[in-house]
Amino acid sequence: MPTITVGTARIPYRVVGDGPETLVLVHGTGPGSGMWDGMLDSFTNRYTVLLPDLSGSAAAEDDGGELTLETLAAQVNAVIDDAGRGPADVLGFSLGAVVATAAAALRPDQVRRLVAAAGWISAEQDEYLRLSMATWLSLADHPTAFGGYATLTAFSRDFLNRIGREAVEANTAYMQPTPGTLRHIALNLTLDLTPLLPRVQAPTLVIGCAQDATVPVENTRRLHAAIPDSQYAEFDTGHIVLFEETEAFTKTVVDYLATA
């Protein structure tokens, strides 16, 4: 697995597939790029896929300091540089959507097309979002409650009932209050995309989730409105649309990237 040094961080990334075009998948809050593994086959027939594990993920190494949006965006762009695959299409989810948008703003030459799913501009724009993230962070000393809160807000009620108790408990155990994940949540609380949004030049699709209890959909609609000429799609799911509606989600992404 290639690993690069960006500032004080050691950032590994995987390369999957050998398609003629390049797609970078930017993970959200939590362990890292493994969140994308269940849908890679939907992309690799067309794309060479780059999967970075950014600071705060389980595989990255850094000094453990406070994370910034610019730091993670620089890591995404450094991976594209190192792979020699730019300009690339970039898909980010949740925190990854915000990071991908920042990467597009900071290096317009690197990001050809952008898809931002379940992202937001700033928690300061929504007291629900701010309180939700602060509450999640406050559960750091209670791993079971931490994972339960993450699962409860991440998925729609219908989806949780559909997958059943065993899968719900597996999801609860997956999201743990590691130091890196706590750093991600702290960044979720403080980041602000506002100054960077006018600099986004890439054709952009913003994807919102109507039942999102992690990042209420009004925040994602606000992100769409703030990115010039962006397109918008919305799914009737909870926050993690890529699990609840995997096939429809990947089709929407692939179809957009093929025509934008």
Side-chain angles (χ1 to χ4, degrees):
M1 184 188 305
T3 301
I4 59 174
T5 299
V6 187
T8 64
R10 295 280 290 164
I11 304 300
Y13 67 94
R14 293 180 287 154
V15 183
V16 181
D18 58 0
E21 300 181 59
T22 304
L23 176 65
V24 184
L25 302 180
V26 186
H27 64 80
T29 299
S33 66
M35 61 168 285
W36 298 107
D37 288 358
M39 63 195 70
L40 291 179
D41 288 348
S42 299
F43 300 123
T44 51
N45 62 332
R46 174 175 176 177
Y47 287 98
T48 296
V49 180
L50 307 181
L51 295 119
D53 283 289
L54 307 178
S55 282
S57 67
E61 300 176 6
D62 62 16
D63 60 9
E66 181 179 351
L67 297 175
T68 70
L69 187 55
E70 290 77 11
T71 294
L72 299 189
Q75 293 172 3
V76 171
N77 286 323
V79 165
I80 299 171
D81 272 335
D82 186 73
R85 303 286 307 192
D89 295 338
V90 181
L91 163 61
F93 168 74
S94 194
L95 173 59
V98 184
V99 171
T101 303
L106 293 168
R107 287 287 304 275
D109 60 308
Q110 287 285 55
V111 179
R112 179 173 55 181
R113 292 168 292 207
L114 170 67
V115 180
W120 69 98
I121 297 173
S122 169
E124 291 296 321
Q125 295 180 341
D126 185 344
E127 279 301 301
Y128 176 99
L129 176 57
R130 185 199 61 77
L131 180 59
S132 178
M133 289 295 171
T135 300
W136 192 17
L137 194 60
S138 76
L139 297 173
D141 293 332
H142 307 279
T144 300
F146 182 92
Y149 186 82
T151 301
L152 187 65
T153 60
F155 298 103
S156 67
R157 176 173 173 266
D158 286 347
F159 181 77
L160 291 177
N161 284 324
R162 188 163 70 245
I163 64 175
R165 180 73 54 82
E166 185 175 347
V168 168
E169 291 180 348
N171 275 288
T172 297
Y174 172 78
M175 188 63 80
Q176 291 297 297
T178 65
T181 295
L182 297 177
R183 292 164 71 203
H184 284 165
I185 301 171
L187 175 58
N188 293 343
L189 273 165
T190 60
L191 66 81
D192 187 359
L193 258 179
T194 304
L196 295 176
L197 290 170
R199 297 167 60 179
V200 176
Q201 299 178 22
T204 300
L205 171 66
V206 176
I207 296 175
C209 307
Q211 299 184 57
D212 196 334
T214 301
V215 180
V217 70
E218 290 81 6
N219 292 276
T220 310
R221 294 170 184 163
R222 189 180 292 125
L223 176 62
H224 158 58
I227 298 177
D229 300 318
S230 63
Q231 297 186 35
Y232 184 73
E234 189 168 297
F235 289 84
D236 188 23
T237 68
H239 184 61
I240 308 186
V241 55
L242 60 164
F243 287 177
E244 293 199 24
E245 293 286 352
T246 304
E247 184 176 347
F249 174 80
T250 55
K251 184 180 187 303
T252 296
V253 172
V254 170
D255 287 352
Y256 173 76
L257 294 176
T259 58

